[in-house]
Amino acid sequence: MGITGASGAIYGERAVEVLVSNGYAVDVIFSKVGKKVFEYELKSKVEEFLSKFPKEKVRTFDYDDLFALPSSGSYRVLGMIVIPCSAGTLSHIANGITENLIHRAADVCLKERRPLVLVLRETPLNRIHIENMLKIVDAGGIVFPACPAFYSKPKTINHLVDFVVERSLRLLVKKEFHLIKNWGD
């Protein structure tokens, strides 16, 4: 999982919580700005957040370490989600520019045909963003704009966050987490 500097750190926080509580081990890579935004928006140090989880369930990698396990196609993972995903990270991945471990791990998922879900948290969009989204989709990735729905009559911000997290994680692991009501439920 990549957590970048786009606003929406709450999505990344919740995605880690949901995956771990459902038995998944999670590798987390924070970009430099992603860590700063996480701490600013959530008023919590990254280390404090991560300390809530067993070490065997959540492992972190330095975003500058291109020698880390997620850099290799032989490192077996189910796939990758970047949540939230900045327009800059989208651009790097779409154009094959691997300046850090988030970019490289995403590139590995595309080349190995593993699921890659980019939860884009950017608005408004310009032509370059849209062209980069098309490149990701053409390469086999999924672009999931962080747009919650309102048909379930959400009462709190957490309900809105859970909608985005549930729907994006379903695309990654092909499983329901039952955080939200589906249409018709």
Side-chain angles (χ1 to χ4, degrees):
M1 173 183 302
I3 298 177
T4 72
S7 182
I10 194 169
Y11 294 125
E13 175 191 48
R14 184 68 171 133
V16 172
E17 292 169 351
V18 169
L19 287 169
V20 171
S21 69
N22 281 273
Y24 292 91
V26 183
D27 293 337
V28 182
I29 310 159
F30 283 89
S31 71
K32 269 186 185 176
V33 178
K35 184 175 182 177
K36 288 180 181 179
V37 171
F38 188 96
E39 292 177 349
Y40 174 79
E41 289 185 351
L42 301 176
K43 296 179 177 58
S44 172
K45 293 289 184 193
V46 165
E47 293 76 17
E48 290 171 25
F49 168 67
L50 296 173
S51 71
K52 298 188 313 187
F53 306 103
K55 296 255 187 257
E56 65 275 4
K57 286 294 185 182
V58 178
R59 180 168 35 179
T60 60
F61 293 95
D62 187 318
Y63 89 108
D64 275 331
D65 187 2
L66 292 175
F67 200 69
L69 294 171
S71 283
S72 174
S74 65
Y75 181 58
R76 290 180 289 174
V77 295
L78 292 174
M80 182 175 186
I81 187 167
V82 182
I83 181 171
C85 183
S86 66
T89 298
L90 167 75
S91 176
H92 277 83
I93 297 166
N95 291 286
I97 303 167
T98 56
E99 289 186 346
N100 66 43
L101 187 56
I102 293 173
H103 307 151
R104 175 61 187 162
D107 188 61
V108 167
C109 283
L110 289 174
K111 80 180 187 69
E112 298 292 330
R113 308 294 190 260
R114 295 178 185 143
L116 173 65
V117 180
L118 305 181
V119 181
L120 186 63
R121 230 307 302 142
E122 185 67 60
T123 190
L125 301 171
N126 64 38
R127 183 181 180 96
I128 296 167
H129 300 141
I130 294 166
E131 288 173 353
N132 284 331
M133 288 189 287
L134 182 59
K135 287 180 182 181
I136 292 294
V137 171
D138 286 347
I142 298 169
V143 177
F144 186 101
C147 299
F150 294 87
Y151 56 76
S152 63
K153 310 274 194 282
K155 304 282 188 265
T156 67
I157 289 175
N158 289 340
H159 292 136
L160 297 171
V161 169
D162 279 352
F163 179 87
V164 170
V165 169
E166 170 81 29
R167 294 289 310 276
S168 61
L169 289 179
R170 284 181 191 177
L171 295 168
L172 179 67
V173 299
K174 314 296 187 245
K175 172 188 186 272
E176 287 194 32
F177 295 94
H178 307 289
L179 302 175
I180 62 171
K181 286 183 177 179
N182 292 311
W183 179 249
D185 287 352

